[in-house]
Amino acid sequence: GARARAKVLLATVKGDVHDIGKNIVGVVLGCNDYEVLDLGVMVPAERILAAAREHAVDAIGVSGLITPSLDEMVHVARELERAGMTTPLLIGGATTSKVHTAVRIAPAYSAPVVHVLDASRSVPTVSALVSAEQRDAFAAEVAAEYEEVRDRYAARNRTQTLLPLAAARANRLALDWDAAPITPPKRPGVTPFTDVTVADLRPFIDWGPFFIAWELKGKYPQLLDDARVGAQARQLLDDANALLDRAEAEGLLTPRGVAGLFAAHAEGDDLAVFSEHGERVATFHTLRQQTAKTPGKPNRALADFVAPAESGRTDALGAFVVSIHGAEALAARFRADHDDYHAILTQALADRLAEAFAEYLHARVRKDLWGYAPDENLSNDDLVRERYRGIRPAPGYPAQPDHTEKVALFRLLDAETHAGAGLTEHLAMTPPATVCGLYFAHPEAAYFNLGPLGRDQIEDYARRKGMAVEEVERWLAPALAYEPAAAPSGDGAMTPPVARV
């Protein structure tokens, strides 16, 4: 007389390797008596559809971390529609949002499409969608809400003032390059870091995002004394440190990284990078804010933080890639022992160690390799609060949302050789616990949100990069202030460009 359990298919979409959140959702659903079919990572749409049919699942959940995954989710929705399926589609992952789901994904699929903010919402959402009594009303409620979201999104775009690219460039950040402090790197060129240990990185861990990954909300370390979740947070931290102790003692996790420092200058919104012998070895392309600013506020681009060629001064630019190896194998061992908790804990700690490695290496660069802050002496709290000179923005993040810039960065540093790091077809980094970025040293260098981009900048950017406008629009889809002329076609694949010097 036992009732049949509802089945939920979970998958990280094609081109993406991140699955911590998906794995937590799987455990939560499993603990609530749902049968979970987890297809893993890098799963193409055709495999998702085939498995959904074969196992007659009641709901499909797709996730991803990097922004190109958003386009792949649209492709999955279109394929479900083309196949005439009616299985509800759940959308999750760090870069997803209710707005993107409502505007881009839901219109592609006539069955229910629901953005799931976090694992705690997965159970009530799935419960409503698989219930004969609740599904229609729940789906109608979500559809009405998403229609309002689309209306607000369209209204906001109509009222937003976007400057022509020429006007935005005329309002660039004005820096005094005659007086700017420029320190030549002490150790120019590429420097591998193969002797860094877990013990070296532990003091640099920022624990705040670790607890967020486990959906324990609150500011660390105050969270440990929270009346509601403090006991759970302390237990989680104890378990994390015990696993780090074991990883350290047994060599289970291996940090590998590489940094490079090069002569450079800005050429408009591009950054020209040179070897010690004066040979041009790379070009990085930056994007400029185009929204109208209040008087006195500039329209910034990352290129503004490097001396322009016309200044007559030789500046420098840095780059880095850091990875934590061994986490996938260790997590697989835990799963083989039916220990999902420690498998997810391993992945979460690997991510924290990768970020700690980026923090550790940046400090080494500032004090030693570049040497523009030789007397720096900062606490971990100072580092978390970024109380140091310089920034390390990463491709795919707010100041430069274009993941294709990773191609030039990885090539410049020979990241595969020196850090054991690679790129998927959608430019997710492997292993998953990998961080990359550029180093800027100007005292006024700061992070910023690029904001929406106009067609004139996209066309200019495509020309500078030697890419088709349509391809750039696909890579930068979430940042566009306009609707592209034609929707992406084909199998959802996104072709990264070959890095050009």
Side-chain angles (χ1 to χ4, degrees):
R3 66 178 177 84
R5 295 195 298 166
K7 298 178 184 178
V8 182
L9 181 153
L10 299 178
T12 297
V13 296
K14 178 181 175 182
D16 205 323
V17 296
H18 298 87
D19 64 351
I20 296 176
K22 172 179 69 66
N23 292 341
I24 293 176
V25 167
V27 170
V28 171
L29 289 173
C31 290
N32 281 272
D33 206 30
Y34 288 97
E35 182 178 340
V36 177
L37 174 63
D38 190 340
L39 300 185
V41 301
M42 299 274 290
V43 186
E46 56 269 22
R47 187 177 166 213
I48 292 173
L49 268 67
R53 285 197 185 100
E54 177 185 353
H55 297 276
V57 300
D58 299 285
I60 299 170
V62 293
S63 71
L65 177 68
I66 60 173
T67 48
S69 297
L70 300 176
D71 193 70
E72 183 64 25
M73 291 175 184
V74 175
H75 173 63
V76 171
R78 288 186 178 131
E79 289 302 289
L80 290 169
E81 181 72 11
R82 189 170 66 86
M85 298 184 68
T86 59
T87 310
L89 179 63
L90 310 179
I91 304 297
T95 57
T96 64
S97 67
K98 182 185 292 187
V99 172
H100 183 270
T101 302
V103 173
R104 306 290 183 191
I105 305 177
Y109 188 36
S110 53
V113 179
V114 184
H115 179 252
V116 182
L117 182 63
D118 52 43
S120 66
R121 297 298 308 156
S122 61
V123 172
T125 299
V126 173
S127 177
L129 288 171
V130 302
S131 166
E133 294 79 18
Q134 299 180 50
R135 172 171 166 158
D136 290 347
F138 179 76
E141 180 183 344
V142 171
E145 180 186 4
Y146 285 6
E147 185 64 34
E148 292 179 5
V149 170
R150 286 190 288 271
D151 289 343
R152 290 196 300 269
Y153 177 82
R156 184 171 68 247
N157 282 353
R158 285 194 299 270
T159 59
Q160 194 166 46
T161 302
L162 211 65
L163 297 178
L165 179 58
R169 284 174 170 165
N171 190 44
R172 69 188 301 121
L173 177 65
L175 298 175
D176 183 356
W177 288 108
D178 291 332
I182 295 178
T183 304
K186 288 184 177 180
R187 194 188 301 179
V190 174
T191 304
F193 285 80
T194 58
D195 58 352
V196 177
T197 67
V198 171
D200 293 325
L201 302 182
R202 289 178 74 167
F204 291 84
I205 292 176
D206 176 6
W207 288 103
F210 172 78
F211 291 104
I212 292 173
W214 289 91
E215 298 184 17
L216 292 176
K217 307 296 173 60
K219 185 176 176 58
Y220 176 83
Q222 293 88 338
L223 176 69
L224 302 178
D225 296 318
D226 183 89
R228 186 174 59 88
V229 298
Q232 295 164 298
R234 288 192 300 273
Q235 183 61 59
L236 182 60
L237 184 60
D238 288 344
D239 292 344
N241 277 307
L243 186 52
L244 285 174
D245 290 341
R246 181 182 169 192
E248 198 175 311
E250 300 178 23
L252 300 174
L253 301 175
T254 305
R256 291 180 62 188
V258 58
L261 299 171
F262 308 90
H265 65 240
E267 296 176 347
D269 290 348
D270 291 339
L271 295 169
V273 180
F274 302 88
S275 71
E276 297 172 71
H277 309 293
E279 175 190 10
R280 188 168 183 143
V281 291
T283 302
F284 292 103
H285 307 86
T286 76
L287 291 157
R288 185 168 298 280
Q289 295 172 317
Q290 281 191 266
T291 50
K293 304 293 183 181
T294 56
K297 298 289 186 181
N299 290 80
R300 291 177 289 183
L302 289 173
D304 294 345
F305 303 135
V306 177
E310 57 268 24
S311 72
R313 300 191 68 186
T314 300
D315 206 342
L317 182 74
F320 74 95
V321 177
V322 295
S323 295
I324 304 298
H325 295 263
E328 293 75 40
L330 181 57
R333 284 167 50 186
F334 282 126
R335 288 196 185 91
D337 291 335
H338 308 288
D339 187 349
D340 287 322
Y341 171 66
H342 277 93
I344 296 172
L345 188 62
T346 297
Q347 293 178 294
L349 285 176
D351 276 3
R352 287 297 87 214
L353 286 171
E355 295 289 352
F357 197 172
E359 198 73 80
Y360 165 91
L361 189 54
H362 198 183
R364 289 282 302 273
V365 165
R366 294 191 300 271
K367 296 173 69 173
D368 304 322
L369 275 70
W370 200 329
Y372 64 80
D375 300 321
E376 178 182 284
N377 183 23
L378 301 175
S379 67
N380 181 266
D381 185 62
D382 291 328
L383 296 174
V384 170
R385 296 174 183 272
E386 299 169 359
R387 292 172 176 155
Y388 47 75
R389 173 180 155 186
I391 58 174
R392 55 171 190 273
Y397 282 78
Q400 172 51 287
D402 182 12
H403 284 267
T404 69
E405 288 295 293
K406 292 176 185 173
V407 177
L409 193 158
F410 272 57
R411 175 181 176 273
L412 177 65
L413 298 178
D414 193 4
E416 185 171 357
T417 297
H418 296 307
L423 297 169
T424 72
E425 62 184 308
H426 285 188
L427 300 184
M429 295 179 289
T430 58
T434 297
V435 179
C436 75
L438 297 176
Y439 292 131
F440 294 82
H442 194 283
E444 293 191 42
Y447 298 104
F448 58 88
N449 191 344
L450 187 65
L453 305 174
R455 192 188 304 271
D456 57 347
Q457 179 160 198
I458 295 300
E459 292 174 348
D460 178 86
Y461 188 70
R463 176 187 55 77
R464 285 152 47 204
K465 287 178 70 75
M467 295 173 64
V469 171
E470 294 77 16
E471 192 67 17
V472 171
E473 287 175 334
R474 293 185 69 180
W475 283 101
L476 290 172
L480 300 181
Y482 64 95
E483 289 295 329
S489 60
D491 66 353
M494 303 174 76
T495 305
V498 175
R500 301 189 308 161
V501 173

